Amino acid sequence: MDDELNVTYVTLGGHVEVDKYRYLYFVILFTVYILIICSNSTIVYLIWIHQNLHEPMYIFIAALLINSVLYSTAIYPKLLIDFLSEKQIISYSACLFQFHVFYSFGGSEFLLLAAMSYDRYVSICKPLQYPTVMRKTTVCIFLLLAWILPASQVAVPAGLSANKKLCSFSLKGIFCNNTVYKLQCVVSREQIIHDMIILLNVALLPMLFILFTYTRILIISYRSSGEVRRKAAQTCLPHLIVLINFSCLCAYDVITVQLESDFPKTVRLLMTLQIIMYHPLFNPIIYGLKMREISKHLRRLFCPAKIR
């Protein structure tokens, strides 16, 4: 009983007229969540059952789509419960856990995209070395690092925040992102430096690496035959589109937090929803439409009569 009394609760104050529109919010977000799960899972299933898709490029795509589902699952179930609840509250410990999971999978996204860019670089620029470089062991190491590194690094600020003194118990958001820092009385300089190091490790450096590899691919493709250029365009363009989209949404997340007081509540809610809705739905659409082998299997799955 004493433990229950000592639990610190945080109010999620970013909802707009939830009493009036709770069922509309619930239906829309529940539909989006189901679409996210179904669309991503369908492509992962196709990659799993078709032997010709058991290549590093498609394995990384499957990992990216699984990451999108996990990323969404960190947000949507709690969000759906809040829409049907009288009070939109969360314990401070659960809030920090959501913060940790949200940014861990966000960091994993960048590292998975970096692994995919390296795979494309070796495939297009060093095709003779590809079988020896991109072995199963290499792929497994990349996947483990992509999930373990961000989770272990983000665990530090989440753990440090657990012992911080709080001067506010209300967030201006609908879930726990880096707005949790605004609850603390003082954000130390060491904490800011550590967060900058995490940002550098799991976002900026992978992004620079991706840009470097795709620049090399473009240079070599331009000097090569039309077949090489076509292969580069077919496999690299979807990855670049996903990278640009996710990078913009990450910048969006930082901007909405830093400028939250300058936005009307409704605008802030709409901007936050875009962060959690677009990307998990965008990935399967891009890879389903732009990757020829996946697109072919999708047509066979949903239109078998036409294919025959």
Side-chain angles (χ1 to χ4, degrees):
M1 189 69 181
D2 291 338
D3 291 339
E4 290 181 14
L5 292 174
N6 289 330
V7 172
T8 301
Y9 286 97
V10 175
T11 300
L12 299 168
H15 297 80
V16 177
E17 296 192 66
V18 69
D19 292 333
K20 187 176 180 181
Y21 298 112
R22 67 171 72 249
Y23 297 112
L24 177 63
Y25 286 149
F26 180 86
V27 170
I28 292 172
L29 268 294
F30 181 74
T31 303
V32 170
Y33 186 44
I34 294 300
L35 285 173
I36 288 169
I37 293 173
C38 292
S39 58
N40 285 279
S41 299
T42 299
I43 295 179
V44 172
Y45 171 73
L46 290 174
I47 292 170
W48 179 47
I49 65 170
H50 291 290
Q51 195 67 34
N52 69 320
L53 299 182
H54 292 183
E55 298 177 9
M57 177 176 67
Y58 297 109
I59 292 171
F60 287 132
I61 289 173
L64 198 71
L65 299 180
I66 291 170
N67 196 73
S68 291
V69 173
L70 296 173
Y71 175 87
S72 301
T73 303
I75 305 298
Y76 279 85
K78 172 59 179 162
L79 205 54
L80 293 171
I81 291 169
D82 284 341
F83 289 142
L84 300 180
S85 303
E86 291 300 318
K87 294 181 179 180
Q88 290 72 48
I89 59 172
I90 184 171
S91 69
Y92 185 57
S93 58
C95 188
L96 291 176
F97 178 74
Q98 189 178 59
F99 161 87
H100 174 261
V101 175
F102 179 72
Y103 286 109
S104 294
F105 288 124
S108 296
E109 192 93 8
F110 280 111
L111 292 177
L112 287 169
L113 287 168
M116 293 164 77
S117 71
Y118 180 71
D119 172 74
R120 290 300 83 208
Y121 169 74
V122 178
S123 175
I124 294 168
C125 302
K126 301 180 179 181
L128 296 179
Q129 298 177 29
Y130 186 79
T132 55
V133 173
M134 295 305 296
R135 294 173 298 172
K136 285 185 179 180
T137 305
T138 308
V139 173
C140 290
I141 290 171
F142 281 164
L143 291 176
L144 285 173
L145 289 176
W147 276 309
I148 291 173
L149 281 179
S152 59
Q153 291 191 60
V154 178
V156 176
L160 291 174
S161 296
N163 299 317
K164 294 283 185 178
K165 183 181 179 181
L166 304 183
C167 287
S168 174
F169 298 93
S170 179
L171 290 177
K172 292 184 178 180
I174 56 175
F175 64 92
C176 297
N177 53 5
N178 54 12
T179 51
V180 295
Y181 290 143
K182 295 188 177 292
L183 300 176
Q184 299 171 12
C185 298
V186 178
V187 179
S188 65
R189 197 167 117 189
E190 291 79 9
Q191 195 169 353
I192 294 170
I193 292 171
H194 191 273
D195 286 353
M196 294 301 294
I197 292 171
I198 295 173
L199 182 65
L200 183 69
N201 288 342
V202 302
L204 297 180
L205 287 179
M207 192 184 300
L208 290 173
F209 177 77
I210 293 166
L211 294 175
F212 169 76
T213 54
Y214 282 128
T215 301
R216 293 290 301 157
I217 289 170
L218 287 173
I219 292 170
I220 291 174
S221 300
Y222 180 76
R223 296 172 181 171
S224 303
S225 63
E227 182 63 30
V228 174
R229 285 197 294 270
R230 189 161 52 251
K231 178 185 177 183
Q234 286 176 350
T235 60
C236 296
L237 186 60
H239 304 328
L240 280 173
I241 293 172
V242 168
L243 172 67
I244 293 167
N245 175 67
F246 189 66
S247 300
C248 290
L249 290 176
C250 288
Y252 212 20
D253 176 57
V254 174
I255 291 168
T256 53
V257 171
Q258 296 302 319
L259 303 178
E260 63 174 7
S261 59
D262 299 334
F263 289 117
K265 196 173 182 180
T266 304
V267 174
R268 195 166 59 242
L269 174 65
L270 292 173
M271 293 173 76
T272 305
L273 288 175
Q274 290 180 62
I275 294 169
I276 61 172
M277 288 172 66
Y278 280 177
H279 189 65
L281 286 173
F282 186 74
N283 278 1
I285 292 171
I286 287 296
Y287 289 119
L289 295 178
K290 294 294 184 181
M291 300 300 287
R292 188 172 62 182
E293 287 299 315
I294 295 176
S295 179
K296 182 173 69 177
H297 288 301
L298 276 173
R299 288 196 301 271
R300 285 179 179 171
L301 178 65
F302 292 108
C303 307
K306 290 183 180 180
I307 299 297
R308 291 171 190 168

